[in-house]
Amino acid sequence: MDDRVILRVGAKILIPFILLYALYVQFHGDYGPGGGFQAGVIFAAAFVLYALVYGLGNALKVLPPRATYACGALGVALYLGVGFVTMAMGGNFLDYDVLAHDPTHGQHYGIIGVELGVLVTVFGVMVELFYAFAGRRRLDP
Amino acid sequence: MLRAIGLGVVLFGFWLTLSGHYTPLLLGFGVGSCVLVVYIAARMEVVDQEGVPLHVTGRFFSYLPWLMKEIFVANVEVAKVILDPKLPISPRIVVFHGSQDTDLGRAIYANSITLTPGTITTGVAGHEFEIHALRAADLETDEQQQMDVRCTRVERGRRERAS
Amino acid sequence: MFVAATAGILVSMALALLRALLGPTVYDRVLAVNTFGTKTVLLIAAIGFLTERPEFLDLALVYALINFIGTIAVLKFFEYGDLGLTRRIQREAE
Amino acid sequence: MDLAFDVLIWGSLGLGLFFMLVGTIGILRMPDVYTRLHAAGMTDTMGAGFLLLGMALYTVEEMVPGHTSYWTVLVRLVLVYAFLLFTSPIATHALARAGLAGGVEPWTNDAEEGT
């Protein structure tokens, strides 16, 4: 008999909303407190909750360590990519103004791209750190 | 599949209430975010009867006012106990019988018990609810019976019988 | 009026910290830290209103979330000595 | 109108602080973890509830109706309370269960009462 009913049902209902809240924080960085770093942490927190309630095994099935490594690298690539695109378009590194005809829009798109990179990297590294800690056992059981 | 769409719609509603900025760009991000979250939720296998309990939502919200009233009454009771210089408590652990048939119903009942100060669910096994009570006298009231009946009603509606 | 609210919350936070210091078991401390967290959430909200910046409520929500997950994580560690394992679910899978 | 609103706001905030402080006193006075959990629950339910209700009333009084931030603030207050109501019993239950699993015996005064 599984007596973790309360935790399991609670986590099930909560997790999608936490994930969406993270993405809300991500995309509303312009208007309130928020941005890539915080969003990445909240997004990772949803996975941590999942791993705590359903066990590390299930979490590893949903998001294998290879995927977290990939996330860590992909985010940095995205960040650099935005930088190189601006250079290719004739500006300086991360000079967003050249991304669109109107510098304000250019700034906007550039920042969205860079913040997305931050989100992906922070998320990947956070989950990776959790996996590393969760795999360890306490010495005095 | 229907549940996944339902979850998506609920999440998009959540996004709209949070956002407050209705430009095409942000609405587009909202749709994208909802699709991503539903995909991850599906991978986590949390999109099911328990994870997306759309069938009980309406009944749950009609149960909520009664629960809030109970919570308030119980709070006043416990406040009196705490402020009493003699601290008149007689804590003990008892076992209740809950008539809920699904884990979702059990979770609602167990959380309702915990939310009303004076009783805490310490364990659930089938129809047995292990409860730590602050004062044994509080347990023999109609409210506890009523809470069980009302939670079961939330779980399966007034007329539906458990099959 | 939010000055009064903030002051009241701070007083009860201090009292909660006292319980965290007194213990005696680890569960008492976790309990104290958990209520301390709830009060922090309310403090953030009250300070948001005090400074006329209600965007602070977003932070309050995030803090409530982290507080909850943190409590669950600490309890899990003390129950199983491990963050990754769920004994019963694991046993079911086998 | 304004005065009535102010009284309501003060009343809500005051009630919230009252329940919160009583809950905290309970945490200090109660004899063991399980009984303290009952007191801690008061902070999460009514203490937070009335404080946030007071803030919501303040928002209704102060903000210009129709202005967007008016709604977003109210929505967030409701969300914070919903989140607290949702997670508080789960955390309390987890704490009680971990305590029992960890071998902390519940305190009783049955012996004193002679039952």
Side-chain angles (χ1 to χ4, degrees):
Chain A
M1 174 47 89
D2 167 24
D3 72 358
R4 299 187 75 96
V5 181
I6 297 172
L7 263 177
R8 202 188 63 223
V9 173
K12 255 186 189 176
I13 296 172
L14 215 51
I15 284 173
F17 289 96
I18 300 174
L19 288 170
L20 193 79
Y21 188 73
L23 292 167
Y24 155 76
V25 170
Q26 165 76 18
F27 292 117
H28 290 73
D30 311 6
Y31 308 105
F37 190 87
Q38 292 89 324
V41 173
I42 301 170
F43 212 79
F47 274 85
V48 170
L49 180 62
Y50 181 77
L52 285 174
V53 175
Y54 288 80
L56 192 61
N58 281 318
L60 288 172
K61 251 182 265 167
V62 175
L63 191 80
R66 279 171 63 190
T68 61
Y69 290 135
C71 277
L74 191 73
V76 179
L78 206 59
Y79 194 112
L80 285 176
V82 174
F84 286 131
V85 167
T86 56
M87 280 170 86
M89 289 173 83
N92 286 321
F93 187 69
L94 289 178
D95 178 8
Y96 308 128
D97 293 1
V98 295
L99 281 175
H101 295 300
D102 177 6
T104 327
H105 281 145
Q107 289 274 355
H108 201 79
Y109 297 142
I111 287 173
I112 287 171
V114 166
E115 289 282 317
L116 213 56
V118 174
L119 166 88
V120 173
T121 298
V122 170
F123 164 70
V125 173
M126 284 285 166
V127 175
E128 189 57 48
L129 280 174
F130 176 76
Y131 284 170
F133 275 109
R136 294 179 144 185
R137 293 198 62 84
R138 194 167 62 164
L139 289 175
D140 52 337
Chain B
M1 191 61 209
L2 216 57
R3 278 193 191 275
I5 295 170
L7 176 66
V9 171
V10 170
L11 286 176
F12 193 63
F14 183 57
W15 176 279
L16 290 179
T17 47
L18 275 174
S19 171
H21 294 274
Y22 304 115
T23 60
L25 183 71
L26 278 174
L27 287 177
F29 280 142
V31 173
S33 303
C34 291
V35 171
L36 177 67
V37 170
V38 171
Y39 168 72
I40 295 174
R43 270 196 72 120
M44 285 177 168
E45 294 171 6
V46 297
V47 188
D48 58 12
Q49 275 248 314
E50 295 166 7
V52 190
L54 293 173
H55 54 293
V56 303
T57 311
R59 294 197 289 269
F60 180 73
F61 278 106
S62 55
Y63 164 66
L64 209 51
W66 183 83
L67 180 64
M68 293 307 288
K69 190 206 85 194
E70 283 304 308
I71 291 174
F72 181 75
V73 172
N75 259 294
V76 174
E77 285 295 312
V78 176
K80 274 188 210 154
V81 170
I82 290 173
L83 292 178
D84 193 316
K86 288 200 298 274
L87 206 65
I89 55 171
S90 51
R92 66 195 55 197
I93 290 185
V94 291
V95 173
F96 270 15
H97 179 83
S99 49
Q100 291 75 27
D101 288 318
T102 61
D103 280 353
L104 178 67
R106 284 178 197 134
I108 294 175
Y109 185 40
N111 284 340
S112 305
I113 290 172
T114 312
L115 268 177
T116 47
T119 44
I120 288 174
T121 316
T122 53
V124 182
H127 288 288
E128 312 271 275
F129 289 72
E130 195 187 54
I131 287 162
H132 183 272
L134 190 59
R135 291 198 303 172
D138 288 348
L139 290 173
E140 288 131 25
T141 52
D142 284 351
E143 273 77 22
Q144 289 295 344
Q145 281 282 305
Q146 236 190 321
M147 187 178 276
D148 179 33
V149 172
R150 279 175 190 262
C151 286
T152 310
R153 208 179 283 161
V154 169
E155 180 194 36
R156 58 180 175 223
R158 209 171 287 256
R159 290 197 189 80
E160 274 175 61
R161 300 306 308 168
S163 51
Chain C
M1 58 182 80
F2 288 105
V3 178
T6 310
I9 295 170
L10 281 172
V11 168
S12 75
M13 280 170 95
L15 290 173
L17 265 191
L18 192 61
R19 174 46 72 199
L21 286 174
L22 288 174
T25 65
V26 69
Y27 304 103
D28 289 289
R29 294 179 212 275
V30 175
L31 160 68
V33 170
N34 189 29
T35 40
F36 189 80
T38 309
K39 281 161 196 165
T40 311
V41 172
L42 295 169
L43 181 74
I44 294 172
I47 289 179
F49 278 92
L50 191 66
T51 55
E52 301 285 326
R53 289 179 63 198
E55 310 96 74
F56 271 45
L57 285 170
D58 277 355
L59 307 182
L61 209 49
V62 173
Y63 198 91
L65 171 69
I66 302 295
N67 184 35
F68 170 64
I69 295 177
T71 306
I72 298 291
V74 170
L75 287 174
K76 181 154 190 197
F77 188 74
F78 279 106
E79 196 172 347
Y80 297 111
D82 187 306
L83 285 175
L85 199 73
T86 304
R87 226 173 258 166
R88 288 184 180 82
I89 291 175
Q90 212 91 344
R91 207 186 292 146
E92 267 176 1
E94 280 161 12
Chain D
M1 174 67 193
D2 265 6
L3 184 73
F5 237 103
D6 277 346
V7 170
L8 268 179
I9 297 171
W10 275 106
S12 280
L13 291 177
L15 262 178
L17 284 178
F18 169 75
F19 277 116
M20 177 179 273
L21 281 170
V22 171
T24 320
I25 293 168
I27 294 176
L28 288 171
R29 282 194 74 191
M30 293 289 188
D32 77 338
V33 192
Y34 308 104
T35 45
R36 277 171 204 146
L37 278 170
H38 295 287
M42 291 176 64
T43 308
D44 293 344
T45 54
M46 285 296 105
F50 277 113
L51 277 171
L52 293 170
L53 179 67
M55 292 174 198
L57 289 172
Y58 176 82
T59 315
V60 172
E61 193 198 20
E62 288 294 304
M63 300 274 179
V64 188
H67 198 260
T68 42
S69 63
Y70 174 76
W71 283 112
T72 53
V73 170
L74 284 183
V75 163
R76 275 164 184 70
L77 286 169
V78 171
L79 273 178
V80 170
Y81 191 48
F83 191 84
L84 282 179
L85 269 193
F86 194 90
T87 56
S88 138
I90 298 176
T92 306
H93 164 77
L95 193 48
R97 225 170 58 91
L100 285 174
V104 180
E105 285 294 316
W107 177 92
T108 55
N109 56 358
D110 288 355
E112 282 173 38
E113 286 175 356
T115 44

